[in-house]
């Protein structure tokens, strides 16, 4: 597990350099160092690192070494976009390491564009990207994170109000993971004004979801290809954390939420919280939360940057780093395979 810690602490080291350096070009160069580090850590890992890595490699080798047929592409259990991507990668190179590199690049760089375009503190966004679990999941959950990567790029279409382009992007994401369809309503939700009334209505919706959740899941099971059990009892701590962040970020950013970008990311955080309520009834919905909760890697740095002098921003940053690393350390217990490099 030491290598995971080294990777995180190196990001913190780059962050200190970025904070101390006022030159814009130097800041961009430091961001490039962080991105290079994260990419190398991802693509140089051993095939046994990650619960699903070997499964995805076996799937790639099977698809790349066989002829795609229309039936498999259309009706198979794996989404057609992911099958096609594997097939196209296999046309270039059948080596599994090349596959890992391609997937690492395709998944990581949309998040890099998101951070570099919207974050007021890129180093802190990369730090949170690791601590909140997105980075590790992006290495091990290829199909869904390919869908998320497409939707990250589609956020710009919401801001520019290009509905057709956004809908097409969502449909493309669905070709990698069916659950991506849940992202579609965000285009219209974005138009809602964020104020205390909005939060009160969201709280009422959350209450209804909690009460009606089992019935909603029973209805969904009628159309699902896999039947899921109701009654997952975990996730309450995560829900309380999201509720706390929604309120704190609203109080800190309410005068800035007229900004189109912050408004979009705050809507995403509220949606993540509502779906987390549903995940109390069924664990599967934690995967749905992933589509929205990464908004925190932009919102938290902005909230810190918006702190007035009396709030002592360095103290707020230190508190953020501390609680994020506590959360990350708790997640480490879920990583059953220690990190090792491909040559070990």
């Amino acid at each position: 597990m030491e290598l995971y810690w080294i990777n995180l602490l190196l990001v913190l080291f780059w962050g200190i350099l970025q904070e101390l350096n006022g030159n814009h070009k130097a800041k961009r160069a430091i961001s490039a160092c962080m991105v290079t580090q994260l990419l190398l850590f991802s693509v140089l890992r051993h095939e046994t690192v990650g619960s699903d890595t070997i499964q995805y490699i076996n799937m790639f080798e099977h698809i790349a070494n066989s002829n795609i047929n229309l039936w498999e592409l259309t009706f198979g259990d794996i989404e057609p976009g992911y099958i096609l991507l594997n097939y196209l990668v296999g046309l270039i190179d059948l080596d599994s390491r090349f596959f890992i590199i391609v997937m690492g690049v395709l998944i990581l760089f949309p998040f890099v564009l998101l951070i570099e375009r919207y974050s007021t503190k890129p180093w802190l966004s990369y730090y949170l990207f690791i601590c909140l679990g997105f980075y590790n999941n992006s290495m091990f959950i290829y199909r869904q994170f390919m869908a998320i990567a497409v939707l990250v790029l589609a956020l710009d279409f919401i801001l520019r109000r290009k509905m057709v382009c956004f809908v097409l992007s969502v449909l493309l994401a669905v070709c990698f993971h069916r659950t991506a369809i849940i992202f579609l309503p965000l285009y219209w939700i974005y138009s809602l004004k964020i104020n205390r009334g909005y939060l009160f209505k969201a709280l009422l919706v959350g209450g209804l979801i909690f009460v009606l959740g089992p019935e909603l899941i029973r209805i969904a099971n009628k159309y699902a290809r896999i039947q899921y059990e109701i009654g997952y009892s975990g996730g309450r701590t995560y829900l309380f954390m999201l509720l706390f962040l929604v309120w704190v970020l609203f109080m800190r950013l309410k005068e800035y939420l007229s900004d189109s970008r912050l408004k979009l990311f705050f809507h995403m955080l509220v949606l993540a919280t509502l779906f987390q309520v549903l995940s109390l009834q069924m664990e599967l919905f934690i995967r749905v939360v992933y589509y929205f909760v990464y908004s925190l890697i932009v919102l938290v740095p902005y909230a810190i940057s918006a702190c007035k002098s009396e709030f002592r921003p360095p103290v707020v940053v230190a508190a953020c780093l501390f609680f994020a690393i506590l959360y990350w350390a708790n997640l480490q217990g879920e990583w059953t395979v220690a990190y090792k490099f491909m040559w070990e």
Side-chain angles (χ1 to χ4, degrees):
M1 299 300 176
E2 291 81 5
L3 290 174
Y4 290 111
W5 282 95
I6 292 173
N7 185 49
L8 179 65
L9 293 176
L10 276 175
V11 170
L12 190 56
F13 167 75
W14 294 121
I16 293 173
L17 292 183
Q18 199 169 59
E19 282 291 319
L20 294 177
N21 201 309
N23 184 277
H24 180 69
K25 289 184 178 180
K27 286 180 179 289
R28 296 296 295 270
I30 293 170
S31 284
C33 290
M34 282 186 278
V35 172
T36 302
Q37 172 195 318
L38 294 179
L39 181 61
L40 289 176
F41 192 80
S42 173
V43 303
L44 295 180
R45 73 186 190 276
H46 196 274
E47 294 177 355
T48 58
V49 177
S51 56
D52 295 335
T53 303
I54 292 180
Q55 178 182 338
Y56 278 119
I57 289 174
N58 292 337
M59 190 186 306
F60 164 69
E61 292 175 344
H62 171 72
I63 295 171
N65 288 288
S66 62
N67 294 322
I68 280 189
N69 59 71
L70 185 61
W71 186 90
E72 182 181 22
L73 189 64
T74 307
F75 302 105
D77 287 340
I78 304 301
E79 289 82 358
Y82 187 75
I83 294 175
L84 184 59
L85 175 61
N86 279 249
Y87 180 75
L88 294 175
V89 173
L91 290 178
I92 301 173
D93 197 319
L94 294 174
D95 183 66
S96 61
R97 182 55 49 182
F98 178 71
F99 168 70
I100 290 176
I101 292 172
V102 170
M103 296 304 293
V105 171
L106 290 178
I107 292 173
L108 180 61
F109 273 87
F111 284 101
V112 172
L113 292 175
L114 175 78
I115 290 170
E116 295 299 327
R117 182 179 296 174
Y118 299 119
S119 178
T120 57
K121 293 181 178 293
W123 71 268
L124 182 55
S125 291
Y126 290 119
Y127 180 88
L128 293 173
F129 184 60
I130 297 174
C131 286
L132 296 180
F134 308 127
Y135 177 61
N136 272 73
N137 285 333
S138 73
M139 290 193 287
F140 313 145
I141 311 176
Y142 279 164
R143 286 165 49 223
Q144 184 176 9
F145 267 81
M146 271 302 302
I148 293 174
V150 171
L151 296 175
V152 168
L153 297 176
L155 292 175
D156 188 55
F157 296 134
I158 298 178
L159 294 173
R160 292 160 57 193
R161 307 312 289 161
K162 292 183 176 292
M163 185 179 69
V164 174
C165 293
F166 175 75
V167 171
L168 291 176
S169 297
V170 173
L171 293 178
L172 176 61
V174 169
C175 290
F176 290 101
H177 207 279
R178 294 175 180 87
T179 56
I181 194 65
I182 204 69
F183 204 74
L184 189 61
L186 180 61
Y187 185 88
W188 294 275
I189 291 173
Y190 168 76
S191 301
L192 299 177
K193 185 177 180 180
I194 298 174
N195 50 34
R196 291 176 185 268
Y198 166 83
L199 290 183
F200 179 72
K201 292 173 184 176
L203 186 63
L204 289 180
V205 171
L208 287 174
I209 290 175
F210 183 77
V211 173
L212 301 177
E215 186 60 31
L216 293 174
I217 294 170
R218 290 189 189 94
I219 294 173
N221 267 336
K222 293 180 180 179
Y223 304 97
R225 57 188 176 89
I226 300 175
Q227 300 300 300
Y228 296 96
E229 294 184 2
I230 302 172
Y232 176 64
S233 59
R236 292 186 179 89
T237 302
Y238 193 58
L239 174 60
F240 290 140
M241 182 189 79
L242 290 178
L243 287 169
F244 173 77
L245 287 171
V246 166
W247 181 249
V248 169
L249 290 172
F250 173 75
M251 296 304 294
R252 178 53 42 209
L253 295 173
K254 57 185 177 182
E255 60 185 285
Y256 303 98
L257 287 175
S258 57
D259 182 290
S260 60
R261 297 164 299 176
L262 288 181
K263 179 182 176 183
L264 173 60
F265 292 122
F266 194 85
H267 278 304
M268 292 173 65
L269 178 59
V270 171
L271 287 172
T273 306
L274 293 177
F275 281 113
Q276 182 61 26
V277 174
L278 197 53
S279 77
L280 298 180
Q281 308 291 343
M282 189 168 70
E283 187 174 6
L284 174 69
F285 280 93
I286 291 178
R287 290 290 192 95
V288 176
V289 174
Y290 292 165
Y291 288 110
F292 303 99
V293 75
Y294 62 83
S295 57
L296 283 171
I297 68 176
V298 174
L299 286 171
V300 171
Y302 199 103
I304 292 174
S305 298
C307 283
K308 308 299 182 183
S309 58
E310 62 267 21
F311 284 95
R312 299 184 182 182
V315 176
V316 179
V317 170
C320 175
L321 295 178
F322 175 73
F323 285 110
I325 205 168
L326 279 183
Y327 179 80
W328 181 77
N330 181 62
L331 286 181
Q332 272 197 305
E334 301 176 12
W335 302 341
T336 56
V337 180
Y339 187 94
K340 58 181 179 179
F341 289 104
M342 56 182 285
W343 53 80
E344 295 185 63

